[in-house]
């Protein structure tokens, strides 16, 4: 990757590049983007011409799980689906409004940020297991992660 005037490489004690410092995102805060993230983004752009982002086609909000279920799952919250986009990835997988997603690809989903992090470009087009709570029962549904359009 190319370093511009407002970006500087972050080095470790041995002088190896560990990331790129930049203030381009927030003027008052300098951020270091880790080298593996930079590498992944560059490879994605070279392969696909853009950064890919996954989506399920749902709106959701964090919701408390029933106490007994929370104890069994060792997880207090999941994502309650408020809507499911017609013909979207979640709809095609058989998810319904009112389902609560508790994990995706074996990773816990407690808040919307958890889901967004799991919808990375490398999962686009892949079938992953979504554990949901429906009618008080835990079920597993396979869902193919869609690609969010620009």
């Amino acid at each position: 990757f190319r370093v511009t005037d407002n970006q500087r490489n972050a080095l470790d004690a041995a002088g190896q590049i560990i990331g790129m410092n930049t203030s381009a995102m927030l003027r008052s805060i300098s951020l270091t983007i880790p080298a593996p993230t930079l590498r992944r983004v560059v490879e994605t752009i070279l392969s696909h011409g853009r950064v890919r982002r996954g989506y399920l086609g749902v709106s959701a909000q964090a919701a408390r799980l029933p106490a007994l279920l929370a104890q069994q799952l060792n997880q207090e919250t999941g994502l309650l689906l408020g809507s499911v986009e017609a013909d979207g990835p979640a709809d095609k997988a058989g998810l319904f409004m009112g389902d609560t997603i508790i994990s995706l690809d074996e990773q816990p989903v407690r808040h919307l940020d958890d889901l967004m992090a799991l919808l990375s470009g490398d999962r686009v087009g892949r079938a992953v297991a979504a554990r949901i709570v429906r009618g008080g029962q835990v079920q597993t549904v396979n869902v193919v992660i869609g690609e969010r359009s620009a």
Side-chain angles (χ1 to χ4, degrees), residues 4 22 37 41 46 48 52-53 74 77-78 80 85-86 91 94 100:
T4 62
T22 183
T37 300
V41 168
L46 290 173
H48 303 285
R52 299 171 75 193
R53 300 196 192 295
N74 196 29
T77 60
L80 176 65
E85 178 184 305
D91 183 42
T100 301

Side-chain angles (χ1 to χ4, degrees), residues 54-65:
Y55 91 112
L56 293 180
V58 299
S59 69
Q61 66 182 39
R64 282 199 171 281
L65 298 173

Side-chain angles (χ1 to χ4, degrees), residues 116-130:
M116 298 307 288
L118 292 168
L119 294 176
S120 56
D122 62 327
R123 285 190 171 97
V124 170
R126 279 187 36 210
V128 298

Side-chain angles (χ1 to χ4, degrees), residues 5-84:
D5 289 341
N6 67 337
Q7 301 165 332
R8 299 289 181 253
N9 291 330
L11 306 175
D12 65 11
Q16 299 294 314
I17 295 175
I18 59 171
M20 180 178 63
N21 292 333
T22 183
S23 61
M25 293 180 176
L26 301 168
R27 293 291 174 203
S28 61
I29 299 174
S30 180
L31 299 173
T32 300
I33 302 169
T37 300
L38 294 170
R39 192 171 297 111
R40 187 176 67 246
V41 168
V42 168
E43 288 170 0
T44 299
I45 291 171
L46 290 173
S47 297
H48 303 285
R50 67 190 182 292
V51 175
R52 299 171 75 193
R53 300 196 192 295
Y55 91 112
L56 293 180
V58 299
S59 69
Q61 66 182 39
R64 282 199 171 281
L65 298 173
L68 183 59
L69 194 54
Q71 185 178 12
Q72 289 171 349
L73 297 170
N74 196 29
Q75 180 174 332
E76 291 184 12
T77 60
L79 280 184
L80 176 65
L81 300 184
S83 68
V84 177

Side-chain angles (χ1 to χ4, degrees), residues 126-137:
R126 279 187 36 210
V128 298
R131 289 185 70 206
I132 63 167
V133 177
R134 178 181 291 163
Q137 302 296 313

